[in-house]
Structure formats: C-alpha cells, structure tokens
Amino acid sequence: MNRAEKATLQLQAVSVLGVLKETRTYAELSALTGLPAGDLNRYVNGHVLPGVERARTVVEEVGRETLAAELDARIELDEEGYVDNSGIVFDQPFLDLIAPVVAESFGFERPDVVLTAATDGITLAAAIASYFDARCAYAKKSKETAVEEFIEARQRLQSGIELTYYLPASALRSDERVLVVDDLIRSGETQELLLEIAEGADARIAGVFALIAAGDEGIERARARTDAPVAALTRAD
C-alpha cells in the first residue's frame, strides 16, 4: 500500500466514524469500536488520523457491519417482494462510504475497470472506481450511435424475452482486471452477461459484488461462472 492509498484508507475510516458518531456518544462509539473515546474524539474532529491498522479495522469490521445494518434499514420491499433501492442508489455520500468496505473486506483483486449495467448500478460503480482509481464502464441495452465496435452478450430469459447488453469495445482491453458490480443481484442473469462481456474482451475477472442479494440464486450462478470472489454486502429475502 503506497502513501496515497494509506491516506485514503485513513480518511475513509474517519468518514465512517463520523457517520457512526451522528447517532452515538463517544462512550457508545468506544464500546462499538474498541477504541479509546479520547482517540475517537480526535479522529472525528479532524485533529489526527488513525493509524493504518486502526483505520483498516474500522473500515473492514466496524464499517462493514454498520453500513450493512444501515443498508438493511433502507431496503423496502413491495407486496410482491421486489426491492425498492432508490433510497440507496441516489445517495452518493453513502455509496462513497461503502467503497472502502468493498475494497478492504471481500478479497477482490485491485481492478483496472469497474463494470456495471445501466442504470441503477452506475452510482455504485462510480464510487468504487473512484476509490480504486480505476475506470468506470457500463453496458447498455442499446447501441450508441457514434460507436462502431461493441462487445455484446445475449441471453434468453426464462420469460422468453431476449436480453442483450452492449459495451463499446474501447472500454475494455485485453488482460485488464475487471470488477463486476451492481446494486442488486437476484437471478444472476445480468451479472452473467457482464462476465461474458469481460471475457469477450479477454479481460481478467477481479470479482463480482452487489450491494443487495435477493436470495441465493444470483450469488450461486455468479460463483459457478468465475473463480474470483463473489459477495454482497447484505441480503433481502
């Protein structure tokens, strides 16, 4: 980890602590994190930065559990069990806090490109790409007029509808590391198409991540397609 990466991790830990402090006293925050209340006060108020190992603990352990709980609280299901995630994907500061947790907690290889599908996954992909200093790319269900070459992936769904995603060929290069992300994984069909696009570019899969897993089908389907880590921050059943 270079100096810039260390500083980024330390600042993200401070951001996580700041969010936690909004609803907790320093004594409660100390009990949650295992860190002295005086140190937490100095971190939250910007007087000093936590050491790298402390910052990693805050992000990996405390941050992961707390943000997953916050995510659970924001998930809304309709009468048919469909997920309303608008309160999540429109909250860029919240997604920016999730990015270091994704980077530190799931064992993903550092990506060159974060790949998602338009449209709800774009804000999450942008946050993660920014944290990794990687490019952000998103596949669409239609071709852009001015682009001549595309990588495409096509699949016939159980409903009989054929789903096709297109990505400009220039967005991925051979042997680049690609992290596939999305806000939600349910059947795994979208993730499978994104993996197919990455493979069509001869890229390497760094991992598959979703904010929310609706059941097990999608996670299992993605794991059957790649040896890279596959994870979700929380579940909605």
Side-chain angles (χ1 to χ4, degrees), residues 10-11 14-15 17-18 26 38-50:
Q10 290 168 306
L11 291 170
V14 171
S15 295
L17 291 173
Y26 281 111
D39 289 355
L40 291 168
N41 184 299
R42 288 188 286 272
Y43 299 154
V44 171
N45 287 293
H47 298 308
V48 295
L49 292 174

Side-chain angles (χ1 to χ4, degrees), residues 154-176:
R154 181 179 289 107
Q155 185 175 115
R156 187 174 295 278
L157 308 184
Q158 292 180 352
S159 61
I161 298 173
E162 190 172 81
L163 178 62
T164 306
Y165 274 104
Y166 303 92
L167 182 75
S170 59
L172 288 180
R173 294 189 287 270
S174 175
D175 211 37
E176 285 191 310

Side-chain angles (χ1 to χ4, degrees), residues 3-24:
R3 184 177 298 179
E5 291 170 332
K6 290 178 181 178
T8 299
L9 177 62
Q10 290 168 306
L11 291 170
Q12 291 291 349
V14 171
S15 295
V16 170
L17 291 173
V19 170
L20 298 178
K21 180 60 182 68
E22 291 177 0
T23 56
R24 294 169 176 83

Side-chain angles (χ1 to χ4, degrees), residues 27-236:
E28 291 169 336
L29 190 57
S30 177
L32 177 66
T33 62
L35 301 178
D39 289 355
L40 291 168
N41 184 299
R42 288 188 286 272
Y43 299 154
V44 171
N45 287 293
H47 298 308
V48 295
L49 292 174
V52 173
E53 290 309 313
R54 274 193 175 183
R56 181 174 286 112
T57 298
V58 168
V59 170
E60 286 185 5
E61 299 175 12
V62 179
R64 178 175 174 176
E65 291 181 8
T66 304
L67 292 176
E70 175 65 18
L71 191 59
D72 287 340
R74 294 187 183 202
I75 295 173
E76 296 185 14
L77 301 177
D78 67 12
E79 295 178 354
E80 298 180 359
Y82 287 100
V83 177
D84 176 6
N85 58 10
S86 56
I88 301 163
V89 298
F90 295 156
D91 189 343
Q92 196 67 54
F94 179 66
L95 296 178
D96 289 341
L97 286 178
I98 286 174
V101 172
V102 175
E104 299 294 332
S105 300
F106 297 109
F108 297 131
E109 189 178 1
R110 188 181 187 88
D112 301 299
V113 180
V114 177
L115 176 64
T116 190
T119 56
D120 282 353
I122 293 175
T123 49
L124 173 64
I128 295 175
S130 177
Y131 183 83
F132 278 119
D133 194 24
R135 302 197 312 281
C136 179
Y138 55 92
K140 299 170 68 173
K141 294 180 182 178
S142 60
K143 292 183 177 182
E144 296 179 30
T145 305
V147 179
E148 294 185 0
E149 291 188 55
F150 292 88
I151 307 167
E152 64 181 75
R154 181 179 289 107
Q155 185 175 115
R156 187 174 295 278
L157 308 184
Q158 292 180 352
S159 61
I161 298 173
E162 190 172 81
L163 178 62
T164 306
Y165 274 104
Y166 303 92
L167 182 75
S170 59
L172 288 180
R173 294 189 287 270
S174 175
D175 211 37
E176 285 191 310
R177 298 180 299 271
V178 176
L179 178 61
V180 171
V181 307
D182 211 346
D183 60 308
L184 177 70
I185 182 169
R186 184 186 296 275
S187 67
E189 291 165 339
T190 299
Q191 288 73 27
E192 196 167 55
L193 287 167
L194 292 173
L195 288 168
E196 186 175 334
I197 284 174
E199 292 162 359
D202 293 324
R204 290 186 287 147
I205 306 302
V208 178
F209 174 75
L211 280 178
I212 305 163
D216 296 323
E217 181 184 356
I219 292 289
E220 292 175 356
R221 189 167 182 171
R223 285 175 176 162
R225 185 66 186 257
T226 178
D227 293 329
V230 177
L233 186 57
T234 192
R235 293 173 55 91

